[in-house]
Amino acid sequence: LIRQQYPDFGPTLAAEKLAERHGISVSEEKVRLLMIAEGLWKAKQHKQIVIHTYRERRPCVGELIQLDGSPHKWFENRAQPCTLVAFIDDATSKIMDGEFVDYEGTFTLFSATEHYLKTHGKPLSLYVDKHSTFKINRQATVEEELKDFQPQSQFGRAMEQLRIELICANSPQAKGRVERLFETLQDRLVKELRLAGISTKEEGTKYFREMYIPKHNARFAVLPKDSTNMHRVL
């Protein structure tokens, strides 16, 4: 079965699919050893551990939501590459929402964020990179400085009107949780979309929101330190 249907799956995901789709309960370690013996998986070398100082999680859901987009061949060769915009809660690592779009731009982010806000309410802050959609990367003009006005993007202005703080990270490492999320999604979600026979952004978004997110969160999310939900009514 692994050779026929899951030849490029890792042992963990292959073991999950054997149980989920075929009712075969085998430990991940047994699957790993079997795949190595059959030449379907290479034993990984032990990497030198690099110690990073991680930013402490926010205590409450909705206090800080990481927002980012990842261009990728999400539908492999069944469709053109596109971008997945995803929202991840800092306190729990839960995927809160997401949408497949053509590219990461002002109006595609407006669309994805509107769905998030209507679903969950307003978070206290969004944590983003310094993409030009979020931040105007130029110095203020003399006139703007005299008025004590900082240049704003359309997205930044919209978040200000909604009273959602927009925090720009200084490096990809600072957004580590959402960066690691996309590494996981580029492995797991791509294969799930393949198994489901999905090849359009619209079908992919529906599947991601309704099927994949609950399953992902049940496996990877953690409990927040504080049970208070900081989302505000839209």
Side-chain angles (χ1 to χ4, degrees), residues 65 91 101 110 125 139:
I65 301 297
V101 297
F110 276 162
S125 55
Q139 295 290 327

Side-chain angles (χ1 to χ4, degrees), residues 165-203:
E165 183 183 10
L166 201 61
I167 303 171
C168 291
N170 290 317
S171 68
Q173 290 76 20
K175 302 191 289 85
R177 289 187 185 100
V178 75
E179 295 289 335
R180 289 191 295 277
L181 166 68
F182 280 125
E183 287 181 14
T184 301
L185 293 179
Q186 286 177 9
D187 177 36
R188 284 175 165 259
L189 179 58
V190 166
K191 294 177 174 69
E192 296 279 13
L193 292 168
R194 181 200 306 165
L195 292 175
I198 292 171
S199 57
T200 67
K201 295 188 294 295
E202 295 74 19
E203 288 179 334

Side-chain angles (χ1 to χ4, degrees), residues 196-213:
I198 292 171
S199 57
T200 67
K201 295 188 294 295
E202 295 74 19
E203 288 179 334
T205 297
K206 180 178 173 63
Y207 178 86
F208 184 62
R209 288 170 174 167
E210 297 178 6
M211 303 297 293
Y212 183 84
I213 288 178

Side-chain angles (χ1 to χ4, degrees), residues 91-153:
T92 61
S93 287
K94 278 187 175 181
I95 304 175
M96 304 296 288
D97 200 1
E99 183 176 338
F100 287 103
V101 297
D102 287 326
Y103 60 93
E104 187 178 351
T106 299
F107 290 101
T108 55
L109 283 164
F110 276 162
S111 170
T113 305
E114 180 180 13
H115 186 272
Y116 178 96
L117 297 175
K118 287 180 175 178
T119 304
H120 299 288
K122 296 189 295 183
L124 292 185
S125 55
L126 288 176
Y127 200 49
V128 298
D129 57 24
K130 292 185 177 179
H131 191 284
S132 59
T133 302
F134 303 120
K135 182 178 175 63
I136 299 295
N137 297 305
R138 67 168 175 81
Q139 295 290 327
T141 64
V142 174
E143 290 79 8
E144 288 169 340
E145 286 182 348
L146 289 172
K147 296 177 182 177
D148 195 25
F149 174 79
Q150 290 300 314
Q152 276 186 312
S153 66

